[in-house]
C-alpha cells in the first residue's frame, strides 16, 4: 500500500504501518520541529509542507490518503468555531485533496468534539463532501487506552473507499 500523509506530525502512522510493508510516498507538514524530524528520519521522502498547495499533475498514483487535520476548532476545550475557523476548514481541504488525488482509500482522524461541533453539522458537511466526490465511508470513535496506551485518547476515525462503504465498515468494525 502506497500512501500520502497530510498534517503528518511525527509520522506515527509510518512507524505503525512499516511492519505491514506500507510505503509513504510523501508527507505534508509545516511545524518546524516535525519537519526537521521527518527530514532526519525520512530523508528520501518529500515533505510538501502546506498540503492545500499540492499539485497532483505528475504525482505517482496513491492507494491511500491519510490525515488528522487540526482539532482545535472542534475540541470541547477550544472556542468551537468548527468549519468557520481556518484550521477547522482544513478538513474540507483534505477532501479537496482526495478529490484531486483520487486514492482508493482515505483515512481522516479528529477529536470526538467534531461529532457535536455546530450540533453535528460540521461533521455532516465533511462526510457529505466525501460522499459527493464518490467515497463510501464508515466512522468510529476509537480510544487509545484499549490499544495498550496508558492514556484515554478518544478519536473519530473516518475511513473511506472510492465507490463503496462496505470495505471501510469491514476495516473499522472487524477487531483484527
Amino acid at each position: 500500500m502506497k500512501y500520502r500523509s497530510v498534517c503528518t506530525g511525527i509520522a506515527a502512522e509510518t512507524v505503525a504501518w512499516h511492519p505491514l510493508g506500507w510505503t509513504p510516498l510523501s508527507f505534508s507538514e509545516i511545524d518546524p520541529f516535525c519537519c526537521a524530524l521527518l527530514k532526519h528520519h525520512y530523508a528520501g521522502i518529500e515533505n510538501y509542507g502546506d498540503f492545500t498547495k499540492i499539485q497532483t499533475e505528475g504525482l505517482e498514483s496513491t492507494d491511500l490518503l491519510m490525515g488528522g487535520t487540526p482539532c482545535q476548532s472542534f475540541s470541547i476545550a477550544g472556542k468551537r468555531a468548527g468549519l468557520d475557523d481556518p484550521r477547522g476548514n482544513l478538513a474540507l481541504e483534505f477532501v479537496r485533496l482526495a478529490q484531486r488525488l483520487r486514492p482508493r482509500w482515505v483515512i481522516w482522524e479528529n477529536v470526538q468534539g467534531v461529532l457535536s461541533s455546530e450540533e453535528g453539522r460540521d461533521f455532516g458537511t465533511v462526510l457529505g463532501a466525501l460522499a459527493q466526490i464518490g467515497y463510501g465511508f464508515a466512522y468510529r470513535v476509537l480510544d487509545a487506552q484499549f490499544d495498550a496506551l496508558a492514556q484515554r485518547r478518544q478519536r473519530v476515525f473516518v475511513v473511506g473507499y472510492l465507490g463503496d462503504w462496505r470495505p471501510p465498515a469491514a476495516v473499522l468494525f472487524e477487531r483484527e
Side-chain angles (χ1 to χ4, degrees), residues 68-110:
T69 56
C71 64
Q72 295 91 332
S73 64
F74 303 118
S75 173
I76 59 171
K79 295 181 180 177
R80 308 274 294 164
L83 294 175
D84 291 333
D85 182 317
R87 295 168 298 181
N89 198 48
L90 288 174
L92 296 176
E93 290 293 338
F94 175 85
V95 174
R96 289 181 189 105
L97 180 59
Q99 184 175 21
R100 293 192 311 271
L101 288 173
R102 304 303 287 170
R104 285 184 301 148
W105 293 90
V106 295
I107 299 174
W108 180 72
E109 172 268 328
N110 216 288

Side-chain angles (χ1 to χ4, degrees), residues 20-96:
L20 300 174
W22 294 15
T23 307
L25 294 173
S26 67
F27 301 125
S28 293
E29 180 55 57
I30 61 171
D31 178 84
F33 173 79
C34 293
C35 289
L37 186 135
L38 292 171
K39 185 176 182 178
H40 175 76
H41 288 288
Y42 306 103
I45 300 169
E46 184 155 4
N47 178 4
Y48 285 102
D50 182 349
F51 80 88
T52 66
K53 297 179 180 170
I54 293 175
Q55 299 300 312
T56 57
E57 188 172 318
L59 288 183
E60 182 178 341
S61 176
T62 303
D63 297 316
L64 167 69
L65 174 63
M66 188 279 170
T69 56
C71 64
Q72 295 91 332
S73 64
F74 303 118
S75 173
I76 59 171
K79 295 181 180 177
R80 308 274 294 164
L83 294 175
D84 291 333
D85 182 317
R87 295 168 298 181
N89 198 48
L90 288 174
L92 296 176
E93 290 293 338
F94 175 85
V95 174
R96 289 181 189 105

